[in-house]
Amino acid sequence: MATEKQYRELFDRVAALRRQVAGNLSNELGSNPQVGEALLKQIDDMLFAVEAEDQSGPRPPDGGLAQLVGIGGESASDMGATRMPHGIENYDETIASERLLAVADVYYLYQHERMGMFRVVQKLRELFERGAIRLFDGEGAFGLYRFDRRDVLRYTRRDRLNAYRRVLGYGRGLGSGHSRPNTDFHRLFTQFNNQVALFWRDKRVSDVIRERAHDPSFGSMAVVRRSGLDLRNNLKFTSYGHLNVLRVEVMQLLDECFRILNAEDVKDLFGAANAWDVMDEVLVRYFNQPIVSSPRQRMAVTGRKVLRWLAAPHILETTRSEFEALLLEIAEPAEEWLTSAESLRLADRSSSKRLLPWDRQQTAGVTTPHRGDRRVVRRRPVSARRPRR
């Protein structure tokens, strides 16, 4: 149990140690800043170990109040002898990784839902029941039969759309269970991908035009970390409920749908080479829908990879070299997600604006309309206006 005097002395000694290390290594730090970063990291780890040991130690039953107010035989003679806690657990370290992994899979499923894979299989099932397609006893025909028989045991399309609305904010209306939609997800997700992409773009430029590319002033870790923590905190309370069971079931449904589309008799029916060609052919022939399978599928893959990265504690890393090494895993996925989203007009690159205001209201997944797309407001004729008083 640390006292208030020990608390002050600890930070005074740590500050003196930092100053002494910086003074002794001033010449070496000028040519190699990574040495100073490693030393400061060791000092921070020592301070963290002292704080953790103090928090895990025994505490008085009254929390030290008797010492402070002067009651009983344990009352403190001065302020320095009273108990001084170091603090509480950090907010950003209390997020469970399994819930963010579930959200990543839900985002993956949503993009395939928007692609139309489930609608395509439903259409094939309707045509199969009417005898409108030449399927009889092949693998695809048997898969469509099982797909129809299991339909009553699965979550419905409305259940899936309500879950997407609650967790990701995509769609319209209320979320599942009449919950509040998470309308902030898309702009926070876009913001994080923008900051990751901008961080690595700055690094590539600095590697080319700067004399010392290892100088840590080329990009801001704090901006990337803050945008990632904002996204993690946003998903913290939307990942409860039946989300885990739903994503497991719908992932199984997605796998079943792809196997049906990839069956040989179904591919021969449409003259397709693979399951994706079958899906595109059905969407064009029966739904008159433009083909967006490629960008949507890449958004699904790269978006899930970025969200899975956030599920790990990498975003809390404070050492620049380690943070960059861990962030490299999603450098290309973030760029690819932005490019795919831009092609669908679902995101913009923030090249000049480093930060996105928190109070900026924009519908999730919808870009701001252009000037030519605005509605023309017709003014009333002069004779119909009220006279001035």
Side-chain angles (χ1 to χ4, degrees):
M1 180 184 69
T3 62
E4 195 274 338
K5 182 179 180 181
Q6 294 173 344
Y7 182 85
R8 286 186 283 107
E9 292 178 349
L10 173 64
F11 286 95
D12 289 341
R13 292 197 302 269
V14 170
L17 178 61
R18 293 179 189 272
R19 186 171 60 251
Q20 182 178 1
V21 170
N24 295 337
L25 300 176
S26 58
N27 295 330
E28 188 174 354
L29 293 177
S31 59
N32 190 3
Q34 296 179 355
V35 175
E37 183 180 359
L39 291 175
L40 294 179
K41 179 65 167 54
Q42 294 181 1
I43 297 176
D44 291 337
D45 292 341
M46 293 169 57
L47 180 60
F48 177 78
V50 173
E51 294 178 353
E53 182 180 0
D54 181 72
Q55 291 178 356
S56 61
R59 58 187 297 270
D62 61 349
L65 182 62
Q67 293 180 344
L68 184 63
V69 300
I71 300 176
E74 296 183 357
S75 61
S77 57
D78 56 3
M79 178 64 70
T82 58
R83 176 177 177 265
M84 182 63 186
H86 283 271
I88 59 177
E89 185 180 5
N90 293 334
Y91 178 85
D92 297 318
E93 297 179 359
T94 60
I95 298 179
S97 61
E98 58 269 17
R99 297 209 302 271
L100 289 181
L101 292 175
V103 173
D105 289 335
V106 170
Y107 182 83
Y108 181 83
L109 292 169
Y110 167 77
Q111 295 298 341
H112 286 84
E113 184 97 41
R114 286 299 306 271
M115 251 184 278
M117 181 167 291
F118 299 133
R119 285 190 297 143
V120 166
V121 177
Q122 288 286 358
K123 187 65 178 180
L124 289 178
R125 189 190 69 171
E126 295 174 6
L127 297 173
F128 178 67
E129 292 176 353
R130 297 205 311 257
I133 52 178
R134 298 178 181 273
L135 292 178
F136 178 64
D137 60 349
E139 180 184 356
F142 189 56
L144 289 173
Y145 162 76
R146 285 185 170 180
F147 186 86
D148 181 52
R149 295 297 93 189
R150 297 171 181 173
D151 190 49
V152 295
L153 302 176
R154 290 190 289 253
Y155 282 106
T156 63
R157 180 175 182 270
R158 179 180 294 274
D159 295 332
R160 299 197 304 268
L161 296 181
N162 289 338
Y164 301 146
R165 180 63 172 164
R166 177 174 71 87
V167 179
L168 306 175
Y170 296 144
R172 297 179 180 178
L174 297 176
S176 52
H178 300 282
S179 59
R180 184 177 63 181
N182 184 17
T183 55
D184 292 329
F185 166 77
H186 184 77
R187 63 187 180 88
L188 291 175
F189 189 48
T190 304
Q191 169 74 358
F192 178 65
N193 283 289
N194 262 312
Q195 296 305 327
V196 173
L198 185 60
F199 182 90
W200 287 101
R201 269 178 266 158
D202 291 345
K203 179 173 173 58
R204 294 187 188 100
V205 171
S206 67
D207 291 342
V208 174
I209 67 175
R210 299 185 61 178
E211 180 180 356
R212 295 186 304 174
H214 58 267
D215 195 329
S217 61
F218 66 86
S220 176
M221 289 172 47
V223 176
V224 179
R225 182 182 298 110
R226 185 64 262 166
S227 59
L229 291 177
D230 288 342
L231 179 57
R232 276 165 49 108
N233 297 336
N234 171 263
L235 297 174
K236 180 178 181 179
F237 295 102
T238 61
S239 52
Y240 287 107
H242 71 310
L243 178 66
N244 189 35
V245 179
L246 181 139
R247 62 113 175 188
V248 173
E249 180 180 298
V250 182
M251 285 293 288
Q252 295 177 357
L253 176 64
L254 180 66
D255 179 71
E256 183 179 354
C257 291
F258 191 81
R259 290 179 182 274
I260 292 174
L261 297 179
N262 203 37
E264 292 297 330
D265 53 345
V266 175
K267 289 189 294 185
D268 294 340
L269 182 66
F270 293 95
N274 50 59
W276 295 110
D277 292 344
V278 173
M279 188 183 73
D280 292 340
E281 183 67 26
V282 174
L283 290 174
V284 172
R285 184 181 302 184
Y286 296 100
F287 295 97
N288 194 24
Q289 177 177 316
I291 303 301
V292 294
S293 302
S294 179
R296 284 282 182 186
Q297 215 276 329
R298 293 313 301 169
M299 287 178 66
V301 173
T302 56
R304 181 167 68 166
K305 191 169 186 178
V306 171
L307 291 173
R308 283 176 173 176
W309 187 88
L310 279 176
H314 304 329
I315 196 68
L316 301 175
E317 182 61 51
T318 58
T319 305
R320 174 173 290 273
S321 57
E322 296 181 8
F323 183 80
E324 287 183 3
L326 296 172
L327 190 64
L328 183 60
E329 181 183 352
I330 59 171
E332 297 303 326
E335 283 277 10
E336 188 174 356
W337 185 92
L338 278 175
T339 304
S340 300
E342 277 186 311
S343 66
L344 298 175
R345 296 185 179 180
L346 299 178
D348 296 321
R349 290 184 184 269
S350 58
S351 57
S352 59
K353 296 181 179 180
R354 289 281 183 137
L355 296 178
L356 185 68
W358 181 265
D359 57 352
R360 175 182 173 183
Q361 296 296 328
Q362 181 176 338
T363 305
V366 180
T367 57
T368 304
H370 298 284
R371 184 181 300 274
D373 298 336
R374 296 178 181 174
R375 296 179 60 185
V376 178
V377 180
R378 296 183 178 179
R379 303 182 64 181
R380 292 182 298 175
V382 178
S383 59
R385 299 177 188 173
R386 294 183 179 179
R388 294 183 179 178
R389 294 182 180 178

